[in-house]
Amino acid sequence: MKISLILFSLCLFFEQAAAQRTNPSSLMNDRVHVKWVTTKEKDWKLGTVQIKKNNKWIDLAVASGEYTLLYSETKPSAEPKESFENITGGKFPEEAYHYQQLQWKESITEVPLNTAGKAYHFFPSSILIKENEIELKKETEVATIISIWKLDPDFPTDIKVTMTLIPKVKGFFSLATPTLASVPLDKMAWVSVPGYFQGNFMQKNFALSYAYGHGIPDRPVVYRERCATTLSPLVSTKSGATLSVIPEPGLARDPWAKDKFTQIDWHLGLSHMNRKGQLSPTLYYPVLGEDKSERNPGQQISYSFRYSLTDGDWFETINHAAYDIYKFKETLALRQSKQALTDRIEKMHHYLTDPKTSLWNIEEYKGKQIGAQSYLGGVVGSQKDAMKNADYGAMWMLATATGDPELKERVLPPAKNFKLVQQDTDNGFFKGAIEGQYYLAKSKKFVEEWGEVVEPIALTYYVMLDMGNMLLFEPNNAELKERLKLGAEKLLSWQKPDGSFAVAYDRTNEREIFKDLQDVRPTFYGLMVAYRSLKDQKYLKAAQKGADWIIRNSVEKGSFLGVCGDARYAPDFATGQSAQAFLDLYDLTKDKRYQEAAITCARIYTASVYTHPIASTEIKTVKDVPLQDWQISQTGLSFEHGGIFGSATRLGPIQLASHAGMFIRMFKLTGDQIFADMARSAAIGRDAFVDRKTSVASYYWQAMNRGAGPYPHHAWWQIGWITDYLMSEVDLRSNGKISFPRGFVTPKVGPHQTYGFAPGKVHGKAANLVIREAFTESDQPVIDCILAENTQNKEAYIIVLNNRAQPTAGKILINPEKWAAGKKIRSIIKTASNQAIPTADKMISYEIAGFGIETFTVSFE
């Protein structure tokens, strides 16, 4: 066998060596083959670009090899030269969307529209064959261009290229990556600039493609790296091949380069097209008019990148860029938590039961005492008097798990009243919907975030999901059931014959608005809640009808819409929510189409998670505090909304990792490692963003550790997503031997789900989730202890998670009196091995593998 392998390797080596001798102007291995040929003008162009698929050489696309150099004597203007005001039938974006107007304006200037400067298109005029590499050169009137090409021995699908520009004149320069090959439209299967758009069809409505990612822009626009989550623009073909271009790490801007915010710096441009508008992933460096683009004669500049030519799809290509080039696995291994996630939940419990820190308010409305937290963000009509509650499932879960009378008696009743009066019960078009997300205490009315609109998805969120999650804990609450049915019937009446919903209605005239957009969001989830809660088959049928429409119009096309009205619904975390919606629908129907749609949505959502720059141990400074780079790295975080419209353009990603639990479930389902690694990267080692006094994390990355800020209600969402993440890890690591029922997703911010409303199983024994603060004390903050109890057997279960990549050994002290006064330990058993542990010192020793689990059973006298 060994001799055969050696002979095969030798044959392959001599075959490739022979190919190089026969075609010295080529690069070839057992995966890729590119060959240059001379033109009539004696220039050198690519005549062959092939990959090996199923042991056969196939043409990747139309071979080219054309270069593009952009030059301008003066710095390009920051003012738009084109107007797109009529592309939606009116001014776009409308006057109410101040942030989007600013971002749209900066995105339609000459540089991002790729019309700035003079474009020099050319093929190299000379070629120099060296050992294992090829050098190409061209003299233009403004600069000399030299490129060196070679195969990457570590990654045989990749061709590494270094470009050098030597100016002959003073001015501004931008050197594009050469067009290796272009893909004809009829051969295109999928195109993406991750973080900005993905899709399989050309979109003629420029706003829909450029601002929303609904289809492929039909212009060669150049995107900023600030929202490019994985630096790998790509084109996949119908023959099953993918071409991408990946910049060398360090080329793009670092969002916190040393001691200040540098998120909006623009060093690298990315596009799905070349300047001529041909489908061919392209990088631009430097960016015309930006840093390092102004050069004097002889002031040369170089940069490196790689083409990746694979016989796989876009998802495989993103994995390659993230793991192989940008070292995503290694950056995860750097993460070390300084505070356990379970400890954060306990500390946030105190924050939320203190009216001063949580900004809890009680108001009188319609004869009821209603309670909610202050909301100090932007709300139309607010005089700093807006109030909102976030995650009702987390509220009821925490109250149940802790048994805290403060929550049960002081918080939950007025919060429930808030929910009841929030629903419109007056006869009319909006009966059953919500009056608004926010209550204005001074005006004594409910309003929406950004205008007089009523959204079907808001009905799903703030009636169906919130009431549905409450009903999981209060299944016999007749009033909640009646209100849930009222909402379900309204949602049913608003569903269109094809299964879709309107984005919104105008409250003043009841007309449908935002007709330029399709509601490609999981609005149908509300009907699933109705079916699961009310057991009426008509709701399940309607949910399936809505889901089928979403599959055709959203999942298959790569088009998604967001749920933040203040951002004019820029695509956001609702994409991840769609994945969980399909998973839950599969659980109800066992229809594999929904499971497949869930996987597709989740894979697309990985493009909402940053995989660059490479996190390191380099020391940086934040507010005069030295921190290692990985502590403040964006790598592993998702954005609120991305694209050219989203908050990530200026504020960066968010700490609210609602998707983490869903990604762990996806890893268990698919085996795709990127799901687990992205979930863990978002969840652990994020202490630099956590306020030490409250244990509440900041929302936007840009805020660092300012805490809740204007969003105190976010603490409930943080408790919700952390719980979902931990319980999903428990299920995964125990191979399903420890699992607890999941409720419905949370409103708005993503796919995390509710727990604690029903018993689960711990190695075959029934158990309820509980929180008993200080019952366990671990000597390692990377250790999370999750507790459950079986009252019948007088047993407590300590589920111990090692939440880091490295093995961890240590001790856990058990304080039985913190479980209940007078409690005494009878025995401690390591559950998996049934090994008895001495109880005298109330100490458990553990040694757990990286991202491993151990369970202990504590029996009380």
Side-chain angles (χ1 to χ4, degrees):
M1 178 65 74
K2 290 182 179 179
I3 293 172
S4 298
L5 287 172
I6 292 170
L7 288 173
F8 175 78
S9 300
L10 287 171
C11 288
L12 186 62
F13 171 79
F14 287 121
E15 178 188 341
Q16 293 173 12
Q20 289 289 135
R21 288 195 300 271
T22 306
N23 300 298
S25 57
S26 71
L27 295 172
M28 183 179 183
N29 58 23
D30 63 336
R31 300 291 298 278
V32 300
H33 177 209
V34 296
K35 182 175 70 173
W36 284 264
V37 296
T38 54
T39 67
K40 294 179 180 178
E41 294 79 17
K42 304 300 182 183
D43 289 329
W44 290 88
K45 66 175 292 184
L46 282 167
T48 299
V49 177
Q50 293 181 321
I51 65 167
K52 188 170 280 187
K53 187 176 180 66
N54 298 325
N55 293 318
K56 293 182 180 179
W57 288 104
I58 64 168
D59 291 328
L60 177 70
V62 179
S64 174
E66 186 174 46
Y67 288 59
T68 298
L69 170 65
L70 306 182
Y71 171 74
S72 176
E73 290 186 10
T74 58
K75 185 174 181 176
S77 172
E79 293 298 316
K81 297 289 178 66
E82 296 184 58
S83 173
F84 298 92
E85 291 188 352
N86 294 319
I87 55 179
T88 58
K91 184 174 177 58
F92 180 84
E94 296 87 344
E95 291 293 341
Y97 302 102
H98 313 300
Y99 300 119
Q100 282 62 48
Q101 284 188 328
L102 173 65
Q103 286 158 204
W104 180 253
K105 179 182 176 181
E106 75 172 13
S107 299
I108 58 171
T109 59
E110 291 180 293
V111 173
L113 289 183
N114 210 352
T115 58
K118 179 179 178 180
Y120 291 85
H121 302 291
F122 56 87
F123 293 100
S125 56
S126 66
I127 188 169
L128 179 61
I129 313 298
K130 299 181 179 180
E131 186 177 359
N132 299 323
E133 66 181 38
I134 290 177
E135 180 180 301
L136 297 149
K137 186 176 181 180
K138 179 71 174 185
E139 300 283 351
T140 73
E141 62 184 72
V142 295
T144 301
I145 308 299
I146 301 170
S147 62
I148 297 174
W149 299 57
K150 58 184 177 182
L151 296 168
D152 188 339
D154 297 322
F155 304 107
T157 61
D158 291 5
I159 301 171
K160 300 175 70 174
V161 183
T162 296
M163 304 273 286
T164 299
L165 179 151
I166 307 171
K168 297 178 179 178
V169 297
K170 180 179 174 58
F172 293 84
F173 296 83
S174 181
L175 184 57
T177 53
T179 300
L180 185 76
S182 63
V183 179
L185 294 183
D186 62 344
K187 298 292 197 306
M188 173 266 293
W190 196 260
V191 180
S192 179
V193 177
Y196 283 98
F197 78 90
Q198 63 283 314
N200 59 6
F201 68 99
M202 299 300 296
Q203 174 63 262
K204 296 190 180 300
N205 185 316
F206 187 59
L208 283 180
S209 62
Y210 196 36
Y212 290 94
H214 290 185
I216 304 163
D218 62 358
R219 299 180 59 147
V221 291
V222 181
Y223 294 100
R224 292 163 168 82
E225 69 265 63
R226 63 179 73 161
C227 284
T229 50
T230 294
L231 298 177
S232 180
L234 59 91
V235 179
S236 295
T237 70
K238 291 178 180 177
S239 63
T242 300
L243 169 63
S244 66
V245 59
I246 306 168
E248 189 73 8
L251 201 61
R253 67 92 183 91
D254 185 325
W256 197 279
K258 186 177 181 182
D259 57 2
K260 63 182 179 180
F261 177 80
T262 48
Q263 164 77 4
I264 62 174
D265 290 0
W266 192 8
H267 293 179
L268 177 70
L270 306 96
S271 186
H272 59 300
M273 289 179 170
N274 61 22
R275 174 83 170 215
K276 290 183 175 180
Q278 298 168 319
L279 276 179
S280 184
T282 304
L283 303 176
Y284 292 85
Y285 185 84
V287 177
L288 203 64
E290 300 293 331
D291 183 58
K292 298 181 181 178
S293 68
E294 187 175 13
R295 318 301 292 180
N296 291 314
Q299 188 183 11
Q300 75 177 47
I301 187 169
S302 299
Y303 75 98
S304 298
F305 64 93
R306 67 183 58 227
Y307 298 106
S308 184
L309 295 71
T310 72
D311 59 354
D313 64 5
W314 63 270
F315 187 61
E316 182 179 317
T317 296
I318 284 180
N319 273 262
H320 170 53
Y323 281 102
D324 299 331
I325 312 306
Y326 281 83
K327 309 302 178 186
F328 192 64
K329 193 75 171 178
E330 289 84 343
T331 64
L332 171 59
L334 293 174
R335 304 214 145 274
Q336 308 290 321
S337 293
K338 294 183 178 180
Q339 181 184 15
L341 292 171
T342 45
D343 186 66
R344 277 190 60 198
I345 290 175
E346 292 172 358
K347 298 295 192 298
M348 285 190 282
H349 172 203
H350 295 298
Y351 165 84
L352 288 162
T353 50
D354 183 344
K356 291 183 179 179
T357 55
S358 66
L359 304 183
W360 178 253
N361 305 288
I362 298 290
E363 297 286 340
E364 184 84 20
Y365 184 72
K366 290 186 177 180
K368 291 181 180 291
Q369 293 281 313
I370 64 171
Q373 291 170 271
S374 293
Y375 179 88
L376 302 177
V379 176
V380 172
S382 172
Q383 303 173 55
K384 302 297 181 183
D385 62 334
M387 296 163 51
K388 180 178 179 175
N389 290 319
D391 191 331
Y392 274 74
M395 295 171 80
W396 262 248
M397 182 274 294
L398 188 65
T400 302
T402 61
D404 183 0
E406 274 288 297
L407 286 173
K408 288 190 169 186
E409 297 168 14
R410 190 179 60 80
V411 175
L412 298 196
K416 186 190 299 180
N417 286 341
F418 184 94
K419 186 57 52 182
L420 291 171
V421 299
Q422 188 179 28
Q423 188 179 30
D424 191 333
T425 56
D426 295 337
N427 290 329
F429 184 72
F430 298 113
K431 183 177 181 180
I434 65 162
E435 294 185 5
Q437 289 184 56
Y438 305 87
Y439 179 72
L440 302 183
K442 294 177 181 178
S443 308
K444 290 194 176 297
K445 65 178 181 178
F446 281 89
V447 298
E448 259 311 327
E449 192 168 28
W450 220 248
E452 291 286 324
V453 301
V454 181
E455 305 163 349
I457 199 163
L459 166 54
T460 284
Y461 283 165
Y462 306 112
V463 173
M464 306 306 295
L465 288 173
D466 281 339
M467 291 186 182
N469 275 324
M470 284 190 283
L471 276 168
L472 293 173
F473 294 88
E474 302 180 26
N476 298 319
N477 189 315
E479 184 176 21
L480 283 177
K481 278 190 176 181
E482 180 186 340
R483 292 301 196 86
L484 188 79
K485 184 174 182 180
L486 187 65
E489 290 299 314
K490 173 48 60 180
L491 200 58
L492 206 59
S493 72
W494 275 349
Q495 188 174 39
K496 298 180 181 182
D498 62 0
S500 66
F501 293 90
V503 170
Y505 296 98
D506 188 321
R507 180 171 285 283
T508 60
N509 59 28
E510 302 177 359
R511 293 176 183 166
E512 182 179 344
I513 51 178
F514 297 105
K515 289 187 175 182
D516 54 303
L517 301 172
Q518 288 185 308
D519 185 32
V520 279
R521 303 176 292 191
T523 306
F524 67 87
Y525 198 110
L527 296 165
M528 293 163 55
V529 176
Y531 169 70
R532 188 169 157 184
S533 304
L534 304 174
K535 313 302 182 188
D536 192 326
Q537 196 72 25
K538 69 179 180 182
Y539 299 128
L540 180 59
K541 289 182 179 178
Q544 289 182 269
K545 187 177 182 180
D548 293 346
W549 184 88
I550 289 288
I551 289 174
R552 294 190 304 271
N553 293 276
S554 173
V555 181
E556 292 177 356
K557 294 181 178 181
S559 300
F560 298 88
L561 195 67
V563 294
C564 295
D566 58 340
R568 206 183 187 274
Y569 310 111
D572 60 19
F573 27 48
T575 304
Q577 204 170 55
S578 290
Q580 190 61 58
F582 282 116
L583 273 184
D584 289 356
L585 188 55
Y586 169 74
D587 288 341
L588 292 174
T589 65
K590 301 306 176 186
D591 187 329
K592 291 290 286 186
R593 292 181 305 124
Y594 301 135
Q595 188 182 71
E596 291 166 1
I599 293 169
T600 299
C601 282
R603 285 177 172 163
I604 288 173
Y605 195 63
T606 62
S608 293
V609 178
Y610 285 91
T611 62
H612 75 97
I614 299 175
S616 71
T617 57
E618 177 189 351
I619 298 298
K620 295 184 174 180
T621 306
V622 179
K623 302 175 189 174
D624 299 323
V625 177
L627 294 170
Q628 292 190 19
D629 174 67
W630 65 264
Q631 294 178 274
I632 60 170
S633 172
Q634 292 186 353
T635 303
L637 294 177
S638 62
F639 45 57
E640 179 184 40
H641 18 69
I644 68 165
F645 254 19
S647 59
T649 58
R650 280 173 165 73
L651 302 176
I654 58 175
Q655 310 300 322
L656 212 165
S658 179
H659 64 283
M662 181 270 288
F663 268 14
I664 293 295
R665 292 188 281 278
M666 278 294 168
F667 171 62
K668 183 178 181 181
L669 176 64
T670 66
D672 293 332
Q673 188 65 45
I674 196 169
F675 287 129
D677 290 345
M678 283 186 165
R680 292 163 180 169
S681 292
I684 64 174
R686 295 292 174 181
D687 307 274
F689 299 93
V690 177
D691 177 42
R692 292 182 182 178
K693 294 180 181 179
T694 65
S695 290
V696 180
S698 59
Y699 184 49
Y700 295 114
W701 175 87
Q702 175 262 356
M704 292 293 160
N705 65 343
R706 286 186 217 152
Y711 315 113
H713 62 291
H714 278 209
W716 286 115
W717 271 323
Q718 291 178 32
I719 288 173
W721 82 253
I722 290 171
T723 301
D724 186 35
Y725 165 69
L726 290 173
M727 299 316 299
S728 298
E729 286 277 24
V730 166
D731 178 76
L732 171 70
R733 299 185 202 178
S734 69
N735 294 316
K737 293 178 181 178
I738 307 174
S739 65
F740 289 82
R742 289 180 283 110
F744 304 116
V745 299
T746 192
K748 196 169 187 175
V749 298
H752 74 257
Q753 297 184 289
T754 300
Y755 292 80
F757 55 89
K761 292 285 186 180
V762 178
H763 292 279
K765 295 181 180 180
N768 289 300
L769 282 176
V770 295
I771 295 175
R772 299 288 184 266
E773 189 172 346
F775 174 68
T776 60
E777 295 181 35
S778 172
D779 60 353
Q780 300 281 357
V782 297
I783 293 295
D784 278 291
C785 294
I786 299 152
L787 306 178
E789 71 173 342
N790 183 309
T791 54
Q792 185 175 357
N793 295 345
K794 296 182 181 180
E795 290 179 340
Y797 307 111
I798 306 173
I799 305 158
V800 185
L801 298 179
N802 176 21
N803 279 328
R804 68 172 181 174
Q806 298 81 14
T808 301
K811 296 180 181 293
I812 297 171
L813 174 66
I814 300 177
N815 300 308
E817 68 280 0
K818 296 295 184 180
W819 191 273
K823 282 283 186 183
K824 294 183 178 180
I825 297 173
R826 184 176 63 197
S827 65
I828 304 174
I829 295 173
K830 186 182 284 190
T831 310
S833 62
N834 206 33
Q835 174 190 346
I837 297 172
T839 61
D841 60 358
K842 303 174 187 176
M843 196 75 73
I844 295 174
S845 296
Y846 62 85
E847 189 170 343
I848 307 175
F851 295 115
I853 187 172
E854 190 66 81
T855 308
F856 300 91
T857 300
V858 179
S859 296
F860 297 111
E861 292 182 357

